[in-house]
Amino acid sequence: MIRDGLAALLSSDPEIEVIGQAGNGREAVDMARALDPDVVVMDIRMPEMDGLAATAELIGAPAGRNTRQDAGDPADVRPKVLVLTTFDLDEYVYEALGAGASGFLLKDASAADLVTGVRVVAAGDALLAPSITRRLIGDFARRRRHQRPSPAATAGLTPREMDVLRLIARGLSNAEIAAELVLAEQTIKTHVGHVLTKLALRDRTQAVVFAYENGLVG
């Protein structure tokens, strides 16, 4: 019943087409590989395989025509995963980000928030709700401090690319970064692509986590 309601809600948007529904994580992975969606809205608590394991398997394995093998390839257009979670289960959020999710929504989000979330994730942006991002990502970084890469990990970035990475971590869109740095939006897109490629990051969400883990933002 809940799935049907979410599907009806999303289908009401003229630019969103719901192409399948799955009742458990295993079915979700198999269906995503067969149907090749742009976005998967993933629950966490499901039978057979939970949403965290399903996300990790879906993001880490070939998924049809959209899959690129290079993890840091900015042209990588694998299905994006938007996870639904609850505020009092923060550990799920950390694990979801680590599994490769492009973002998350709280289950008490409004209908408009869900539609917007699908659009944001489909566009390749990170969906990190401003009201909880700092606490969640900051704590996530502290918990994984022992896994922090060497400072040499950012040695290959130019000063401008470092600026762009810091602004990505603040949640700014390409247009907002362009305005902040007084550059063309297409130039920012190029810089973002270089950042992801050089740091071997899959998407902007990973870039946010990387920046927090390495102390590039506070």
Side-chain angles (χ1 to χ4, degrees):
M1 182 167 55
I2 294 174
R3 288 199 309 273
D4 287 342
L6 291 175
L9 169 64
L10 292 170
S11 295
S12 67
D13 187 288
E15 295 184 2
I16 296 177
E17 179 185 4
V18 177
I19 59 175
Q21 297 183 43
N24 60 66
R26 171 49 58 194
E27 186 181 357
V29 171
D30 293 343
M31 187 174 292
R33 287 175 174 166
L35 299 178
D36 204 15
D38 296 303
V39 176
V40 175
V41 180
M42 185 79 76
D43 197 1
I44 288 184
R45 289 182 170 178
M46 294 185 291
E48 295 194 32
M49 175 186 288
D50 66 35
L52 300 174
T55 296
E57 184 169 337
L58 181 59
I59 297 299
R65 62 174 171 79
N66 277 342
T67 302
R68 298 294 184 89
Q69 295 302 315
D70 297 23
D73 188 346
D76 186 343
V77 285
R78 302 178 194 184
K80 309 293 184 182
V81 176
L82 173 60
V83 172
L84 298 176
T85 187
T86 53
F87 185 74
D88 59 339
L89 296 175
D90 290 348
E91 192 63 35
Y92 284 170
V93 177
Y94 310 139
E95 292 185 35
L97 293 174
S102 293
F104 59 88
L105 277 178
L106 305 181
K107 287 186 176 179
D108 60 357
S110 69
D113 288 339
L114 177 60
V115 172
T116 299
V118 169
R119 289 175 176 273
V120 169
V121 169
D125 287 330
L127 182 69
L128 302 172
S131 61
I132 57 178
T133 295
R134 290 182 180 175
R135 185 172 71 85
L136 290 176
I137 300 300
D139 196 22
F140 177 78
R142 286 193 296 274
R143 287 167 181 259
R144 300 185 63 171
R145 186 82 53 167
H146 64 287
Q147 298 180 4
R148 285 177 53 178
S150 164
T154 59
L157 298 184
T158 66
R160 180 59 76 196
E161 288 165 355
M162 287 291 291
D163 291 340
V164 170
L165 176 57
R166 291 189 178 95
L167 293 174
I168 290 174
R170 285 173 47 192
L172 273 64
S173 66
N174 286 347
E176 291 168 334
I177 295 174
E180 181 83 10
L181 299 180
V182 194
L183 293 171
E185 186 172 349
Q186 185 57 49
T187 300
I188 298 302
K189 290 181 180 179
T190 299
H191 285 315
V192 171
H194 289 167
V195 168
L196 298 182
T197 298
K198 290 181 178 181
L199 299 180
L201 302 173
R202 184 185 55 256
D203 54 30
R204 295 171 77 103
T205 307
Q206 286 196 338
V208 172
V209 174
F210 179 92
Y212 273 87
E213 286 182 327
N214 286 275
L216 300 181
V217 289

